[in-house]
PDB file of all heavy atoms in Angstrom:
ATOM      1  N   PRO N  11      17.697   9.975  11.686  1.00  0.00           N
ATOM      2  CA  PRO N  11      17.938  10.037  10.211  1.00  0.00           C
ATOM      3  C   PRO N  11      17.206  11.205   9.659  1.00  0.00           C
ATOM      4  O   PRO N  11      16.156  11.607  10.041  1.00  0.00           O
ATOM      5  CB  PRO N  11      17.223   8.822   9.719  1.00  0.00           C
ATOM      6  CG  PRO N  11      17.172   7.849  10.852  1.00  0.00           C
ATOM      7  CD  PRO N  11      17.048   8.699  12.163  1.00  0.00           C
ATOM      8  N   ALA N  12      17.916  11.737   8.541  1.00  0.00           N
ATOM      9  CA  ALA N  12      17.224  12.822   7.808  1.00  0.00           C
ATOM     10  C   ALA N  12      16.489  12.126   6.594  1.00  0.00           C
ATOM     11  O   ALA N  12      17.000  11.248   5.964  1.00  0.00           O
ATOM     12  CB  ALA N  12      18.220  13.760   7.373  1.00  0.00           C
ATOM     13  N   GLU N  13      15.295  12.607   6.251  1.00  0.00           N
ATOM     14  CA  GLU N  13      14.493  12.032   5.216  1.00  0.00           C
ATOM     15  C   GLU N  13      14.456  12.994   4.097  1.00  0.00           C
ATOM     16  O   GLU N  13      13.986  14.116   4.341  1.00  0.00           O
ATOM     17  CB  GLU N  13      13.185  11.567   5.693  1.00  0.00           C
ATOM     18  CG  GLU N  13      12.270  10.902   4.727  1.00  0.00           C
ATOM     19  CD  GLU N  13      11.014  10.495   5.253  1.00  0.00           C
ATOM     20  OE1 GLU N  13      10.945   9.366   5.894  1.00  0.00           O
ATOM     21  OE2 GLU N  13      10.064  11.263   5.197  1.00  0.00           O
ATOM     22  N   LEU N  14      14.771  12.607   2.872  1.00  0.00           N
ATOM     23  CA  LEU N  14      14.747  13.438   1.668  1.00  0.00           C
ATOM     24  C   LEU N  14      13.799  12.803   0.723  1.00  0.00           C
ATOM     25  O   LEU N  14      13.881  11.567   0.433  1.00  0.00           O
ATOM     26  CB  LEU N  14      16.111  13.573   1.138  1.00  0.00           C
ATOM     27  CG  LEU N  14      16.147  14.396  -0.164  1.00  0.00           C
ATOM     28  CD1 LEU N  14      16.139  15.882   0.199  1.00  0.00           C
ATOM     29  CD2 LEU N  14      17.409  14.107  -0.973  1.00  0.00           C
ATOM     30  N   THR N  15      12.814  13.518   0.137  1.00  0.00           N
ATOM     31  CA  THR N  15      12.004  12.935  -0.828  1.00  0.00           C
ATOM     32  C   THR N  15      12.340  13.743  -2.168  1.00  0.00           C
ATOM     33  O   THR N  15      12.522  14.991  -2.229  1.00  0.00           O
ATOM     34  CB  THR N  15      10.521  13.192  -0.517  1.00  0.00           C
ATOM     35  OG1 THR N  15      10.158  12.609   0.614  1.00  0.00           O
ATOM     36  CG2 THR N  15       9.635  12.721  -1.665  1.00  0.00           C
ATOM     37  N   ILE N  16      12.437  12.915  -3.233  1.00  0.00           N
ATOM     38  CA  ILE N  16      12.798  13.500  -4.603  1.00  0.00           C
ATOM     39  C   ILE N  16      11.637  13.078  -5.553  1.00  0.00           C
ATOM     40  O   ILE N  16      11.032  12.015  -5.462  1.00  0.00           O
ATOM     41  CB  ILE N  16      14.136  13.113  -5.060  1.00  0.00           C
ATOM     42  CG1 ILE N  16      14.304  11.526  -5.208  1.00  0.00           C
ATOM     43  CG2 ILE N  16      15.270  13.617  -4.288  1.00  0.00           C
ATOM     44  CD1 ILE N  16      15.550  11.080  -5.944  1.00  0.00           C
ATOM     45  N   TRP N  17      11.325  13.917  -6.475  1.00  0.00           N
ATOM     46  CA  TRP N  17      10.362  13.748  -7.529  1.00  0.00           C
ATOM     47  C   TRP N  17      11.087  13.585  -8.838  1.00  0.00           C
ATOM     48  O   TRP N  17      11.924  14.416  -9.139  1.00  0.00           O
ATOM     49  CB  TRP N  17       9.463  14.946  -7.591  1.00  0.00           C
ATOM     50  CG  TRP N  17       8.444  14.942  -6.459  1.00  0.00           C
ATOM     51  CD1 TRP N  17       7.042  14.549  -6.480  1.00  0.00           C
ATOM     52  CD2 TRP N  17       8.655  15.505  -5.102  1.00  0.00           C
ATOM     53  NE1 TRP N  17       6.513  14.678  -5.299  1.00  0.00           N
ATOM     54  CE2 TRP N  17       7.409  15.290  -4.362  1.00  0.00           C
ATOM     55  CE3 TRP N  17       9.627  16.002  -4.427  1.00  0.00           C
ATOM     56  CZ2 TRP N  17       7.299  15.647  -3.155  1.00  0.00           C
ATOM     57  CZ3 TRP N  17       9.549  16.381  -3.115  1.00  0.00           C
ATOM     58  CH2 TRP N  17       8.349  16.208  -2.446  1.00  0.00           C
ATOM     59  N   LEU N  18      10.899  12.440  -9.444  1.00  0.00           N
ATOM     60  CA  LEU N  18      11.575  12.218 -10.769  1.00  0.00           C
ATOM     61  C   LEU N  18      10.839  12.590 -11.968  1.00  0.00           C
ATOM     62  O   LEU N  18       9.601  12.528 -12.096  1.00  0.00           O
ATOM     63  CB  LEU N  18      11.696  10.714 -10.753  1.00  0.00           C
ATOM     64  CG  LEU N  18      12.669  10.014  -9.716  1.00  0.00           C
ATOM     65  CD1 LEU N  18      12.641   8.483  -9.859  1.00  0.00           C
ATOM     66  CD2 LEU N  18      14.095  10.604  -9.920  1.00  0.00           C
ATOM     67  N   GLY N  19      11.535  12.988 -13.005  1.00  0.00           N
ATOM     68  CA  GLY N  19      10.963  13.350 -14.269  1.00  0.00           C
ATOM     69  C   GLY N  19      11.530  12.379 -15.265  1.00  0.00           C
ATOM     70  O   GLY N  19      12.183  11.434 -14.921  1.00  0.00           O
ATOM     71  N   ASP N  20      11.341  12.643 -16.529  1.00  0.00           N
ATOM     72  CA  ASP N  20      11.946  11.770 -17.614  1.00  0.00           C
ATOM     73  C   ASP N  20      13.373  11.532 -17.470  1.00  0.00           C
ATOM     74  O   ASP N  20      14.138  12.474 -17.145  1.00  0.00           O
ATOM     75  CB  ASP N  20      11.533  12.364 -18.938  1.00  0.00           C
ATOM     76  CG  ASP N  20      10.049  12.362 -19.273  1.00  0.00           C
ATOM     77  OD1 ASP N  20       9.278  11.700 -18.650  1.00  0.00           O
ATOM     78  OD2 ASP N  20       9.595  13.234 -20.055  1.00  0.00           O
ATOM     79  N   SER N  21      13.761  10.333 -17.932  1.00  0.00           N
ATOM     80  CA  SER N  21      15.183   9.929 -17.770  1.00  0.00           C
ATOM     81  C   SER N  21      15.942  10.132 -16.532  1.00  0.00           C
ATOM     82  O   SER N  21      17.150  10.243 -16.435  1.00  0.00           O
ATOM     83  CB  SER N  21      15.987  10.754 -18.899  1.00  0.00           C
ATOM     84  OG  SER N  21      15.400  10.553 -20.136  1.00  0.00           O
ATOM     85  N   GLY N  22      15.097  10.089 -15.405  1.00  0.00           N
ATOM     86  CA  GLY N  22      15.747  10.208 -14.115  1.00  0.00           C
ATOM     87  C   GLY N  22      16.149  11.650 -13.632  1.00  0.00           C
ATOM     88  O   GLY N  22      16.764  11.770 -12.608  1.00  0.00           O
ATOM     89  N   VAL N  23      15.617  12.591 -14.315  1.00  0.00           N
ATOM     90  CA  VAL N  23      15.954  14.016 -13.917  1.00  0.00           C
ATOM     91  C   VAL N  23      15.147  14.228 -12.609  1.00  0.00           C
ATOM     92  O   VAL N  23      13.955  13.882 -12.463  1.00  0.00           O
ATOM     93  CB  VAL N  23      15.353  14.969 -15.009  1.00  0.00           C
ATOM     94  CG1 VAL N  23      15.498  16.424 -14.606  1.00  0.00           C
ATOM     95  CG2 VAL N  23      16.215  14.771 -16.310  1.00  0.00           C
ATOM     96  N   ILE N  24      15.845  14.959 -11.779  1.00  0.00           N
ATOM     97  CA  ILE N  24      15.193  15.273 -10.459  1.00  0.00           C
ATOM     98  C   ILE N  24      14.550  16.565 -10.627  1.00  0.00           C
ATOM     99  O   ILE N  24      15.165  17.622 -10.877  1.00  0.00           O
ATOM    100  CB  ILE N  24      16.251  15.379  -9.381  1.00  0.00           C
ATOM    101  CG1 ILE N  24      16.810  14.009  -9.156  1.00  0.00           C
ATOM    102  CG2 ILE N  24      15.585  15.930  -8.121  1.00  0.00           C
ATOM    103  CD1 ILE N  24      17.950  13.864  -8.066  1.00  0.00           C
ATOM    104  N   LYS N  25      13.118  16.490 -10.574  1.00  0.00           N
ATOM    105  CA  LYS N  25      12.383  17.681 -10.872  1.00  0.00           C
ATOM    106  C   LYS N  25      12.308  18.556  -9.578  1.00  0.00           C
ATOM    107  O   LYS N  25      12.218  19.874  -9.600  1.00  0.00           O
ATOM    108  CB  LYS N  25      10.949  17.361 -11.241  1.00  0.00           C
ATOM    109  CG  LYS N  25      10.920  16.725 -12.498  1.00  0.00           C
ATOM    110  CD  LYS N  25       9.646  16.125 -13.059  1.00  0.00           C
ATOM    111  CE  LYS N  25       8.334  16.575 -12.343  1.00  0.00           C
ATOM    112  NZ  LYS N  25       7.047  16.142 -12.927  1.00  0.00           N
ATOM    113  N   LYS N  26      12.290  17.886  -8.496  1.00  0.00           N
ATOM    114  CA  LYS N  26      12.115  18.625  -7.147  1.00  0.00           C
ATOM    115  C   LYS N  26      12.620  17.823  -6.118  1.00  0.00           C
ATOM    116  O   LYS N  26      12.558  16.549  -6.096  1.00  0.00           O
ATOM    117  CB  LYS N  26      10.619  18.901  -7.026  1.00  0.00           C
ATOM    118  CG  LYS N  26      10.214  19.588  -5.727  1.00  0.00           C
ATOM    119  CD  LYS N  26       8.707  19.809  -5.794  1.00  0.00           C
ATOM    120  CE  LYS N  26       8.055  19.827  -4.400  1.00  0.00           C
ATOM    121  NZ  LYS N  26       6.636  20.014  -4.371  1.00  0.00           N
ATOM    122  N   TYR N  27      13.117  18.310  -4.899  1.00  0.00           N
ATOM    123  CA  TYR N  27      13.490  17.616  -3.733  1.00  0.00           C
ATOM    124  C   TYR N  27      13.066  18.388  -2.519  1.00  0.00           C
ATOM    125  O   TYR N  27      12.906  19.698  -2.624  1.00  0.00           O
ATOM    126  CB  TYR N  27      14.945  17.233  -3.754  1.00  0.00           C
ATOM    127  CG  TYR N  27      15.858  18.501  -3.692  1.00  0.00           C
ATOM    128  CD1 TYR N  27      16.094  19.081  -2.390  1.00  0.00           C
ATOM    129  CD2 TYR N  27      16.327  19.159  -4.833  1.00  0.00           C
ATOM    130  CE1 TYR N  27      16.927  20.180  -2.355  1.00  0.00           C
ATOM    131  CE2 TYR N  27      17.130  20.286  -4.639  1.00  0.00           C
ATOM    132  CZ  TYR N  27      17.398  20.804  -3.492  1.00  0.00           C
ATOM    133  OH  TYR N  27      18.237  21.947  -3.340  1.00  0.00           O
ATOM    134  N   LYS N  28      12.842  17.769  -1.371  1.00  0.00           N
ATOM    135  CA  LYS N  28      12.464  18.308  -0.120  1.00  0.00           C
ATOM    136  C   LYS N  28      12.932  17.588   0.955  1.00  0.00           C
ATOM    137  O   LYS N  28      12.798  16.361   0.973  1.00  0.00           O
ATOM    138  CB  LYS N  28      10.897  18.519  -0.118  1.00  0.00           C
ATOM    139  CG  LYS N  28      10.471  19.239   1.109  1.00  0.00           C
ATOM    140  CD  LYS N  28       8.938  19.405   1.014  1.00  0.00           C
ATOM    141  CE  LYS N  28       8.442  20.069   2.328  1.00  0.00           C
ATOM    142  NZ  LYS N  28       7.050  20.267   2.350  1.00  0.00           N
ATOM    143  N   LEU N  29      13.455  18.170   1.907  1.00  0.00           N
ATOM    144  CA  LEU N  29      13.863  17.551   3.190  1.00  0.00           C
ATOM    145  C   LEU N  29      12.467  17.279   3.931  1.00  0.00           C
ATOM    146  O   LEU N  29      11.831  18.222   4.389  1.00  0.00           O
ATOM    147  CB  LEU N  29      14.720  18.382   4.058  1.00  0.00           C
ATOM    148  CG  LEU N  29      15.349  17.671   5.334  1.00  0.00           C
ATOM    149  CD1 LEU N  29      16.202  16.571   4.996  1.00  0.00           C
ATOM    150  CD2 LEU N  29      15.932  18.740   6.188  1.00  0.00           C
ATOM    151  N   THR N  30      11.893  16.049   3.979  1.00  0.00           N
ATOM    152  CA  THR N  30      10.649  15.757   4.516  1.00  0.00           C
ATOM    153  C   THR N  30      10.619  15.438   5.935  1.00  0.00           C
ATOM    154  O   THR N  30       9.644  15.395   6.601  1.00  0.00           O
ATOM    155  CB  THR N  30      10.042  14.710   3.732  1.00  0.00           C
ATOM    156  OG1 THR N  30      10.878  13.574   3.454  1.00  0.00           O
ATOM    157  CG2 THR N  30       9.621  15.208   2.359  1.00  0.00           C
ATOM    158  N   ARG N  31      11.842  15.107   6.554  1.00  0.00           N
ATOM    159  CA  ARG N  31      11.921  14.983   8.011  1.00  0.00           C
ATOM    160  C   ARG N  31      13.397  15.400   8.408  1.00  0.00           C
ATOM    161  O   ARG N  31      14.402  14.811   7.911  1.00  0.00           O
ATOM    162  CB  ARG N  31      11.635  13.513   8.400  1.00  0.00           C
ATOM    163  CG  ARG N  31      11.702  13.345   9.898  1.00  0.00           C
ATOM    164  CD  ARG N  31      11.515  12.005  10.390  1.00  0.00           C
ATOM    165  NE  ARG N  31      10.573  11.121   9.604  1.00  0.00           N
ATOM    166  CZ  ARG N  31      10.771   9.782   9.361  1.00  0.00           C
ATOM    167  NH1 ARG N  31      11.780   9.129   9.917  1.00  0.00           N
ATOM    168  NH2 ARG N  31      10.060   9.156   8.524  1.00  0.00           N
ATOM    169  N   SER N  32      13.325  16.281   9.366  1.00  0.00           N
ATOM    170  CA  SER N  32      14.636  16.823   9.841  1.00  0.00           C
ATOM    171  C   SER N  32      15.260  15.713  10.785  1.00  0.00           C
ATOM    172  O   SER N  32      14.519  15.068  11.506  1.00  0.00           O
ATOM    173  CB  SER N  32      14.405  18.025  10.615  1.00  0.00           C
ATOM    174  OG  SER N  32      15.609  18.508  11.337  1.00  0.00           O
ATOM    175  N   SER N  33      16.548  15.784  10.740  1.00  0.00           N
ATOM    176  CA  SER N  33      17.316  14.786  11.759  1.00  0.00           C
ATOM    177  C   SER N  33      17.411  15.515  13.172  1.00  0.00           C
ATOM    178  O   SER N  33      17.705  14.730  14.030  1.00  0.00           O
ATOM    179  CB  SER N  33      18.769  14.624  11.248  1.00  0.00           C
ATOM    180  OG  SER N  33      19.508  15.865  11.247  1.00  0.00           O
ATOM    181  N   GLY N  34      17.058  16.688  13.173  1.00  0.00           N
ATOM    182  CA  GLY N  34      17.228  17.419  14.467  1.00  0.00           C
ATOM    183  C   GLY N  34      18.655  18.046  14.484  1.00  0.00           C
ATOM    184  O   GLY N  34      19.018  18.691  15.519  1.00  0.00           O
ATOM    185  N   ASN N  35      19.482  17.814  13.525  1.00  0.00           N
ATOM    186  CA  ASN N  35      20.824  18.341  13.579  1.00  0.00           C
ATOM    187  C   ASN N  35      20.993  19.210  12.268  1.00  0.00           C
ATOM    188  O   ASN N  35      20.880  18.649  11.174  1.00  0.00           O
ATOM    189  CB  ASN N  35      21.878  17.123  13.518  1.00  0.00           C
ATOM    190  CG  ASN N  35      23.356  17.603  13.481  1.00  0.00           C
ATOM    191  OD1 ASN N  35      23.735  18.091  12.436  1.00  0.00           O
ATOM    192  ND2 ASN N  35      23.966  17.506  14.632  1.00  0.00           N
ATOM    193  N   ARG N  36      21.228  20.496  12.450  1.00  0.00           N
ATOM    194  CA  ARG N  36      21.330  21.422  11.375  1.00  0.00           C
ATOM    195  C   ARG N  36      22.415  21.034  10.349  1.00  0.00           C
ATOM    196  O   ARG N  36      22.254  21.060   9.120  1.00  0.00           O
ATOM    197  CB  ARG N  36      21.597  22.837  11.840  1.00  0.00           C
ATOM    198  CG  ARG N  36      20.399  23.419  12.511  1.00  0.00           C
ATOM    199  CD  ARG N  36      20.736  24.847  12.872  1.00  0.00           C
ATOM    200  NE  ARG N  36      19.538  25.377  13.634  1.00  0.00           N
ATOM    201  CZ  ARG N  36      19.516  26.650  14.132  1.00  0.00           C
ATOM    202  NH1 ARG N  36      20.453  27.451  13.864  1.00  0.00           N
ATOM    203  NH2 ARG N  36      18.452  26.980  14.755  1.00  0.00           N
ATOM    204  N   GLU N  37      23.582  20.628  10.836  1.00  0.00           N
ATOM    205  CA  GLU N  37      24.587  20.239   9.918  1.00  0.00           C
ATOM    206  C   GLU N  37      24.297  18.967   9.119  1.00  0.00           C
ATOM    207  O   GLU N  37      24.598  18.974   7.861  1.00  0.00           O
ATOM    208  CB  GLU N  37      25.927  19.945  10.827  1.00  0.00           C
ATOM    209  CG  GLU N  37      27.146  19.829   9.921  1.00  0.00           C
ATOM    210  CD  GLU N  37      28.442  19.569  10.718  1.00  0.00           C
ATOM    211  OE1 GLU N  37      28.361  19.708  12.019  1.00  0.00           O
ATOM    212  OE2 GLU N  37      29.471  19.315  10.146  1.00  0.00           O
ATOM    213  N   LEU N  38      23.710  18.021   9.639  1.00  0.00           N
ATOM    214  CA  LEU N  38      23.327  16.875   8.857  1.00  0.00           C
ATOM    215  C   LEU N  38      22.245  17.232   7.848  1.00  0.00           C
ATOM    216  O   LEU N  38      22.361  16.866   6.703  1.00  0.00           O
ATOM    217  CB  LEU N  38      22.790  15.728   9.738  1.00  0.00           C
ATOM    218  CG  LEU N  38      22.171  14.539   9.164  1.00  0.00           C
ATOM    219  CD1 LEU N  38      23.132  13.859   8.154  1.00  0.00           C
ATOM    220  CD2 LEU N  38      21.725  13.482  10.102  1.00  0.00           C
ATOM    221  N   ASP N  39      21.191  17.980   8.318  1.00  0.00           N
ATOM    222  CA  ASP N  39      20.143  18.401   7.321  1.00  0.00           C
ATOM    223  C   ASP N  39      20.735  19.164   6.165  1.00  0.00           C
ATOM    224  O   ASP N  39      20.403  18.998   5.045  1.00  0.00           O
ATOM    225  CB  ASP N  39      19.135  19.154   8.022  1.00  0.00           C
ATOM    226  CG  ASP N  39      18.271  18.352   9.056  1.00  0.00           C
ATOM    227  OD1 ASP N  39      18.419  17.158   8.918  1.00  0.00           O
ATOM    228  OD2 ASP N  39      17.550  19.029   9.911  1.00  0.00           O
ATOM    229  N   ALA N  40      21.580  20.066   6.482  1.00  0.00           N
ATOM    230  CA  ALA N  40      22.259  20.950   5.404  1.00  0.00           C
ATOM    231  C   ALA N  40      23.014  20.074   4.485  1.00  0.00           C
ATOM    232  O   ALA N  40      23.118  20.285   3.266  1.00  0.00           O
ATOM    233  CB  ALA N  40      23.120  21.992   6.165  1.00  0.00           C
ATOM    234  N   SER N  41      23.643  19.044   4.918  1.00  0.00           N
ATOM    235  CA  SER N  41      24.556  18.239   4.104  1.00  0.00           C
ATOM    236  C   SER N  41      23.621  17.393   3.141  1.00  0.00           C
ATOM    237  O   SER N  41      24.024  17.186   2.012  1.00  0.00           O
ATOM    238  CB  SER N  41      25.511  17.285   4.872  1.00  0.00           C
ATOM    239  OG  SER N  41      24.728  16.188   5.501  1.00  0.00           O
ATOM    240  N   VAL N  42      22.523  16.967   3.596  1.00  0.00           N
ATOM    241  CA  VAL N  42      21.539  16.196   2.811  1.00  0.00           C
ATOM    242  C   VAL N  42      21.049  17.194   1.760  1.00  0.00           C
ATOM    243  O   VAL N  42      20.964  16.764   0.520  1.00  0.00           O
ATOM    244  CB  VAL N  42      20.349  15.627   3.685  1.00  0.00           C
ATOM    245  CG1 VAL N  42      19.297  15.139   2.769  1.00  0.00           C
ATOM    246  CG2 VAL N  42      20.927  14.545   4.604  1.00  0.00           C
ATOM    247  N   GLU N  43      20.584  18.354   2.042  1.00  0.00           N
ATOM    248  CA  GLU N  43      20.114  19.349   1.080  1.00  0.00           C
ATOM    249  C   GLU N  43      21.189  19.669   0.069  1.00  0.00           C
ATOM    250  O   GLU N  43      20.901  19.781  -1.148  1.00  0.00           O
ATOM    251  CB  GLU N  43      19.445  20.566   1.740  1.00  0.00           C
ATOM    252  CG  GLU N  43      18.229  20.231   2.484  1.00  0.00           C
ATOM    253  CD  GLU N  43      17.572  21.352   3.097  1.00  0.00           C
ATOM    254  OE1 GLU N  43      18.191  22.134   3.772  1.00  0.00           O
ATOM    255  OE2 GLU N  43      16.349  21.565   3.003  1.00  0.00           O
ATOM    256  N   SER N  44      22.450  19.830   0.484  1.00  0.00           N
ATOM    257  CA  SER N  44      23.514  20.117  -0.356  1.00  0.00           C
ATOM    258  C   SER N  44      23.768  18.958  -1.462  1.00  0.00           C
ATOM    259  O   SER N  44      23.983  19.238  -2.628  1.00  0.00           O
ATOM    260  CB  SER N  44      24.729  20.399   0.374  1.00  0.00           C
ATOM    261  OG  SER N  44      25.957  20.697  -0.447  1.00  0.00           O
ATOM    262  N   ALA N  45      23.610  17.748  -0.935  1.00  0.00           N
ATOM    263  CA  ALA N  45      23.823  16.591  -1.749  1.00  0.00           C
ATOM    264  C   ALA N  45      22.678  16.552  -2.867  1.00  0.00           C
ATOM    265  O   ALA N  45      22.951  16.334  -4.010  1.00  0.00           O
ATOM    266  CB  ALA N  45      23.776  15.246  -1.057  1.00  0.00           C
ATOM    267  N   ALA N  46      21.425  16.790  -2.431  1.00  0.00           N
ATOM    268  CA  ALA N  46      20.374  16.791  -3.314  1.00  0.00           C
ATOM    269  C   ALA N  46      20.469  17.839  -4.439  1.00  0.00           C
ATOM    270  O   ALA N  46      20.126  17.674  -5.559  1.00  0.00           O
ATOM    271  CB  ALA N  46      19.083  16.969  -2.539  1.00  0.00           C
ATOM    272  N   LYS N  47      20.942  18.983  -4.004  1.00  0.00           N
ATOM    273  CA  LYS N  47      21.144  20.159  -4.884  1.00  0.00           C
ATOM    274  C   LYS N  47      22.138  19.837  -5.930  1.00  0.00           C
ATOM    275  O   LYS N  47      22.028  20.270  -7.162  1.00  0.00           O
ATOM    276  CB  LYS N  47      21.509  21.441  -4.154  1.00  0.00           C
ATOM    277  CG  LYS N  47      21.540  22.634  -4.912  1.00  0.00           C
ATOM    278  CD  LYS N  47      21.935  23.855  -4.079  1.00  0.00           C
ATOM    279  CE  LYS N  47      22.083  25.019  -4.920  1.00  0.00           C
ATOM    280  NZ  LYS N  47      22.369  26.228  -4.104  1.00  0.00           N
ATOM    281  N   ALA N  48      23.091  19.076  -5.647  1.00  0.00           N
ATOM    282  CA  ALA N  48      24.213  18.727  -6.506  1.00  0.00           C
ATOM    283  C   ALA N  48      23.870  17.675  -7.571  1.00  0.00           C
ATOM    284  O   ALA N  48      24.524  17.681  -8.652  1.00  0.00           O
ATOM    285  CB  ALA N  48      25.437  18.294  -5.775  1.00  0.00           C
ATOM    286  N   VAL N  49      22.852  16.857  -7.318  1.00  0.00           N
ATOM    287  CA  VAL N  49      22.411  15.880  -8.311  1.00  0.00           C
ATOM    288  C   VAL N  49      21.301  16.327  -9.132  1.00  0.00           C
ATOM    289  O   VAL N  49      20.241  16.713  -8.596  1.00  0.00           O
ATOM    290  CB  VAL N  49      22.000  14.522  -7.484  1.00  0.00           C
ATOM    291  CG1 VAL N  49      21.646  13.537  -8.462  1.00  0.00           C
ATOM    292  CG2 VAL N  49      23.196  14.013  -6.704  1.00  0.00           C
ATOM    293  N   ARG N  50      21.496  16.369 -10.447  1.00  0.00           N
ATOM    294  CA  ARG N  50      20.554  16.796 -11.452  1.00  0.00           C
ATOM    295  C   ARG N  50      19.635  15.708 -11.989  1.00  0.00           C
ATOM    296  O   ARG N  50      18.580  15.885 -12.333  1.00  0.00           O
ATOM    297  CB  ARG N  50      21.050  17.678 -12.510  1.00  0.00           C
ATOM    298  CG  ARG N  50      22.059  18.792 -12.086  1.00  0.00           C
ATOM    299  CD  ARG N  50      21.201  19.977 -12.098  1.00  0.00           C
ATOM    300  NE  ARG N  50      22.107  21.143 -11.828  1.00  0.00           N
ATOM    301  CZ  ARG N  50      21.927  22.014 -10.908  1.00  0.00           C
ATOM    302  NH1 ARG N  50      20.845  21.951 -10.160  1.00  0.00           N
ATOM    303  NH2 ARG N  50      22.686  23.095 -10.759  1.00  0.00           N
TER     304      ARG N  50
END
């Protein structure tokens, strides 16, 4: 599993996110980071 941590601000705004544990698979990790980037 890839583990993503997000930090929340007011009204559910995502202030920051970080891939906190790699899955060991570059494609999976990149897809998780791409999803996090797309959600504001």
Side-chain angles (χ1 to χ4, degrees):
E13 182 179 276
L14 180 78
T15 300
I16 59 173
W17 286 261
L18 295 173
D20 295 339
S21 302
V23 171
I24 296 177
K25 294 175 19 178
K26 179 178 150 182
Y27 66 86
K28 181 179 180 181
L29 186 68
T30 47
R31 186 180 329 143
S32 171
S33 68
N35 179 285
R36 287 184 187 181
E37 190 176 350
L38 175 56
D39 292 348
S41 74
V42 169
E43 289 184 310
S44 179
K47 184 178 181 179
V49 177
R50 306 264 188 233

